[in-house]
Structure formats: structure tokens, C-alpha cells
Amino acid sequence: MFVSRRSITLTACAAALLLSAPTVAAAPAPPAVTRDTPAVAPTAGPGDLLTAYQTVVETLEALGIQPFLYPTAALNCSADGPGIVPAVAGAVPGPWPATALPLPGLDLTAVKSGQTLFTFLPYGMAPDTAATNTAGMQVAWLNISNGRSGMASMGPIGDIVAAMVPPEVPVQLRPMAEAAIRDFLLAAIPVGGVRAVPVDTGHGTVLAAVFGTADNAGRSCFFFPTVGIIDVP
């Protein structure tokens, strides 16, 4: 896994910008969306970047997902004009969630033992649509305990649900199983632009970097690399 000196410098600048923003009260709720009002997600201005970062970190931690070492950001990415969109990547080793999803007689734990679920949560992204390019975010990983490594494309939650259903689930029950996992994840992480991918990292200490592009209401946004260290027991 190679990250250029220029990428490291840009990432450090983005992280410093996020962490130096003053703490302010949360922004007021946006006006209700009506039939005549386009659905645009709220954007994070310079004054509430730190609040946005803390909100996403708290969301990850509440789910048992470990945030990466520092945040990332995309410049000139706001849906309604120039602006910074902050984001946080995270990971959680299996088995996860700790409580199996409610489908009697079946183990629907989304992430199995020896797997790692990598996630990417931006703040202020518009909801995905059929026209959204959802294949731009990547995770590069290395398990320094067993020597395994690789890269994987992160996708929207809806696209990876089928792959997270255990193969032993009967064909007749797969739609119900997929709906259970999808509803759980979407209820737990109701944020536009969320990306995730489960990876067979094996057990050990895993180093990972998440980076790439994500669309925000038709605007292509590049998110600088952010790195994390995950212990997969």
C-alpha cells in the first residue's frame, strides 16, 4: 500500500482544518421537504465542521465501530456550492452486531468471525439516487499478523446486503434475511453517502486506508486517505 508524500500532506492539511474549527452549537434543523422542494442534505459550513465530525464519530462508536485515527474531507463538495464535506471511516471486526438480527433459527450476524467491516460516513451528503456513482470509495488493507492484504471497493449498504446473508439461508428466506439486515443497517446509519464493505481479513492486526470519490448531488468529491488500525480477535 503506497501513499504519496503529496497525499499525506493534503490529508494532514484537511485533518488540521477539521480539528481547528471552533466548537459551535448544532445547526438548526433544515426546513421540511415538500413536493416542490428539492431534497438536498444540509451542508457543513466552516463553523460546524468539528461538530459534524463529533456527530459522525459518536454514531460509529454507538454501533461498536472503531473510528480511524483521523478524519478526512472533500473540498469544494457541498451540494449547494463550494464547501468542505467532512467524513470519518471506521471498522468493526466480526462477529457483529453482537446481537444477531431477529430471524428465528438463523444466524444473521452481518460480519462473521475473521471478517472486518469497513465503513465510510460523510456528513452533509445528499441521499443516493439511481444516477449516483457509488463505486468510487476504496479500502486498502494489510493484516500484519497473517500477511494477507488487498483492496476492495466500498459500496452502498443496499448493494452489499445480499453478500452479507449467510449462504446456508434457504432461497425462500433470503428476501426476508436481506430485508432484516438492510433495515437494521439503514436504521443504524441513516446518512447519505454511506459506504461499506465486509472483507475476509482473517484474525490479527489490520492496517487500512480508506480513500476515493463519492457523488454529492451530481458533484464528484475526492476524499483524502484516512488510516486506521483494527484488532481482529
Side-chain angles (χ1 to χ4, degrees):
M1 181 173 61
F2 174 77
V3 179
S4 69
R5 183 183 298 274
R6 180 173 180 269
S7 294
I8 293 174
T9 302
L10 290 173
T11 302
C13 291
L17 178 60
L18 285 174
L19 296 177
S20 63
T23 303
V24 299
V33 176
T34 66
R35 181 176 301 179
D36 299 324
T37 304
V40 177
T43 57
D48 64 357
L49 288 176
L50 184 57
T51 300
Y53 167 67
Q54 292 172 336
T55 298
V56 177
V57 167
E58 289 170 0
T59 299
L60 287 173
E61 291 177 339
L63 294 169
I65 299 175
Q66 175 185 338
F68 275 15
L69 298 178
Y70 53 84
T72 181
L75 308 179
N76 194 31
C77 184
S78 298
D80 56 355
I84 298 174
V85 171
V88 177
V92 59
W96 182 88
T99 303
L101 298 174
L103 195 62
L106 293 174
D107 175 16
L108 293 184
T109 303
V111 186
K112 303 302 183 185
S113 177
Q115 291 184 325
T116 304
L117 178 69
F118 295 100
T119 62
F120 170 78
L121 276 75
Y123 180 90
M125 299 280 278
D128 294 334
T129 67
T132 301
N133 178 9
T134 59
M137 294 302 300
Q138 305 286 322
V139 57
W141 60 275
L142 168 65
N143 188 325
I144 62 176
S145 300
N146 61 22
R148 294 185 191 177
S149 64
M151 289 190 66
S153 296
M154 306 178 77
I157 290 175
D159 286 357
I160 67 172
V161 164
M164 297 171 75
V165 176
E168 62 270 18
V169 175
V171 174
Q172 299 88 340
L173 294 179
R174 290 192 73 85
M176 187 187 306
E178 292 178 12
I181 294 176
R182 182 175 58 251
D183 292 347
F184 170 82
L185 292 176
L186 290 178
I189 316 175
V191 182
V194 171
R195 302 288 179 261
V197 63
V199 176
D200 292 322
T201 57
H203 303 279
T205 301
V206 177
L207 311 180
V210 168
F211 57 93
T213 60
D215 283 1
N216 189 16
R219 185 188 298 267
S220 181
C221 308
F222 175 75
F223 287 88
F224 300 108
T226 176
V227 300
I229 304 173
I230 307 97
D231 182 26
V232 185

